[in-house]
Amino acid sequence: MKCLVCESFSLSHICPTCQDNFLKPSIHKRKLLNNIEVISFYRYGDIKDLLHTKHTNLGYYIYSILAKNSFGKFAKEFEFTHPITSIAVDDNIRSGYSHTAILNKALTSKNIKPLFNKLRAKNPISYSGKSREFRLLNPRDFTLKDFSDKEVIVVDDIITTGSTLTQAIQTLQANKKEVLFCLTLAGV
Ligand SMILES: [Zn+2]
């Protein structure tokens, strides 16, 4: 196949050289509700075209490559006194796979144990391109399937206004979980 970026022959959808050149994370941070930190690995504008593959048949491969270069590297270097649980926002299957589950799975490591299908939005509405007001008026209405661990890392693919993650945090806190921090692939 051809590398999507440089079009040279490659065994992967993005060749190793382009992964080195273009997919090194540039970590940035912001704070949400109760000062909970959100760490984003890429600027949205820098990987916009790759993120747009999400609903195509390339999406699974591209998200896997992005996840390995960002969440995977983060998890390898993450030190903690004990293993922590990570859960993804709304990791139900769309277009044949779940893009947030791919990110969450890449966190599997000595100190992070991903759990799947725990945090679901009852309201399937999309916030993409919608205003903050629209988001406030149309809550995602998350439900949590319970699990024993108390401390949680929350995973999502893109943060824009922070409405989705804020609602996810509120749901977790209402269920007596402590959100340590959030991780997103891209932030604006
Ligand atoms: Zn390339």
Side-chain angles (χ1 to χ4, degrees):
M1 69 181 86
K2 279 183 173 178
C3 167
L4 280 178
V5 181
C6 70
E7 300 196 323
S8 62
F9 175 77
S10 169
L11 295 174
S12 164
H13 287 82
I14 302 174
C15 75
T17 308
C18 287
Q19 289 190 38
D20 276 352
N21 289 343
F22 304 114
L23 298 183
K24 277 214 174 65
S26 58
I27 286 182
H28 46 288
K29 300 178 178 179
R30 60 191 268 191
K31 298 256 171 107
L32 284 181
L33 189 73
N34 301 338
N35 258 353
I36 291 170
E37 193 162 69
V38 182
I39 300 167
S40 302
F41 294 106
Y42 301 105
R43 297 251 174 227
Y44 178 77
D46 292 344
I47 59 163
K48 193 174 58 185
D49 293 341
L50 295 175
L51 293 170
H52 285 168
T53 65
K54 181 155 101 175
H55 301 296
T56 74
N57 54 5
L58 281 178
Y60 171 82
Y61 302 102
I62 299 302
Y63 264 69
S64 299
I65 291 169
L66 290 169
K68 183 179 64 129
N69 280 277
S70 55
F71 285 72
K73 281 184 184 154
F74 176 91
K76 263 188 215 152
E77 291 162 11
F78 179 70
E79 293 293 340
F80 212 70
T81 50
H82 53 277
I84 297 296
T85 299
S86 63
I87 62 168
V89 172
D90 210 15
D91 51 344
N92 55 338
I93 308 285
R94 287 194 194 93
S95 317
Y97 72 101
S98 159
H99 45 276
T100 55
I102 292 172
L103 304 175
N104 192 20
K105 186 162 175 259
L107 289 174
T108 309
S109 57
K110 180 165 58 88
N111 287 317
I112 306 179
K113 309 292 172 206
L115 289 178
F116 299 92
N117 299 324
K118 292 300 179 192
L119 189 62
R120 288 292 183 85
K122 279 192 282 181
N123 183 354
I125 202 157
S126 169
Y127 280 177
S128 180
K130 298 292 200 301
S131 68
R132 184 184 291 270
E133 187 190 17
F134 177 89
R135 294 167 196 233
L136 287 172
L137 290 171
N138 295 277
R140 303 289 306 275
D141 205 5
F142 284 111
T143 54
L144 189 72
K145 280 195 202 150
D146 202 23
F147 49 92
S148 57
D149 318 78
K150 290 289 170 219
E151 296 161 307
V152 180
I153 299 168
V154 182
V155 170
D156 203 359
D157 62 343
I158 302 164
I159 180 169
T160 49
T161 64
S163 309
T164 298
L165 277 176
T166 299
Q167 292 172 32
I169 291 167
Q170 285 169 331
T171 304
L172 283 155
Q173 290 177 339
N175 284 273
K176 302 199 165 36
K177 303 295 184 190
E178 185 192 346
V179 178
L180 296 182
F181 54 87
C182 305
L183 295 173
T184 72
L185 188 58
V188 288

